[in-house]
């Protein structure tokens, strides 16, 4: 069921500054910022060849990552995203295995325009897991 690691997401307090760090100090290839008001975030993607790093900055008043930044003012790792072929089959399999899916369990459209679901961090050593159908 588990496919490739699609990206590792980091929440940052200042997206432009973080993009400059990755571009300038690491020579990384950083995408243009993309505002996703329906998700309450602005994102850039960094292509690492075998995977991607997603940098997330809160957007708007009730951004779902604002609380994360309150607890981690310097930013930090927010989630891992794995590819799956069939998100509904993956969800049903995980639920049958006793894993918890966040929200109402219905996939939403993620940053790449593809269906995504999130798994409860308490089931995965405190790590939020995103599944993306590719
Ligand atoms: Co993500």
């Amino acid at each position: 069921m588990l496919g490739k690691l699609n990206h590792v997401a980091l929440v940052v307090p200042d997206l432009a500054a973080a993009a400059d760090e990755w571009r300038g100090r690491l020579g990384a290839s950083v995408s243009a910022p993309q505002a996703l008001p329906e998700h309450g975030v602005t994102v850039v993607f960094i292509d690492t060849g075998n995977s991607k790093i997603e940098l997330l900055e809160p957007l708007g008043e009730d951004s779902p990552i604002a609380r994360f930044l309150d607890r981690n003012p310097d930013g930090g790792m927010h989630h891992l995203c794995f590819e799956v072929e069939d998100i509904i089959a993956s969800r049903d399999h995980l639920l049958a295995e006793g894993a918890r899916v966040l929200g109402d369990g219905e996939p939403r459209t993620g940053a790449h325009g593809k269906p995504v679901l999130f798994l409860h961090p308490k089931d995965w050593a405190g790590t939020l897991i995103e599944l993306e159908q590719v």
Side-chain angles (χ1 to χ4, degrees), residues 10-12 39-43 55-59 62-72 78-79 128:
L10 310 180
V11 172
V12 298
H39 292 281
V41 296
T42 305
V43 303
L55 303 181
L56 300 166
E57 178 188 62
L59 174 66
D62 31 57
S63 168
I65 59 170
R67 233 166 51 103
F68 181 94
L69 217 40
D70 286 344
R71 292 193 305 266
N72 308 277
H78 187 260
H79 65 268
L128 180 63

Side-chain angles (χ1 to χ4, degrees), residues 7 17 20 26 30 52 55 57 62 77 81 84 86 88 93 95-96 99 112 115 131-133:
H7 59 267
D20 280 350
L26 292 171
V30 183
K52 292 188 282 286
L55 303 181
E57 178 188 62
D62 31 57
M77 202 200 81
C81 176
V84 294
D86 182 333
I88 299 296
H93 169 77
L95 290 173
H112 306 113
L131 298 179
E132 180 177 282
Q133 181 170 294

Side-chain angles (χ1 to χ4, degrees), residues 8-30:
V8 176
L10 310 180
V11 172
V12 298
D14 181 336
L15 190 60
D20 280 350
E21 293 282 321
W22 283 78
R23 202 182 280 119
R25 285 187 174 163
L26 292 171
S29 154
V30 183

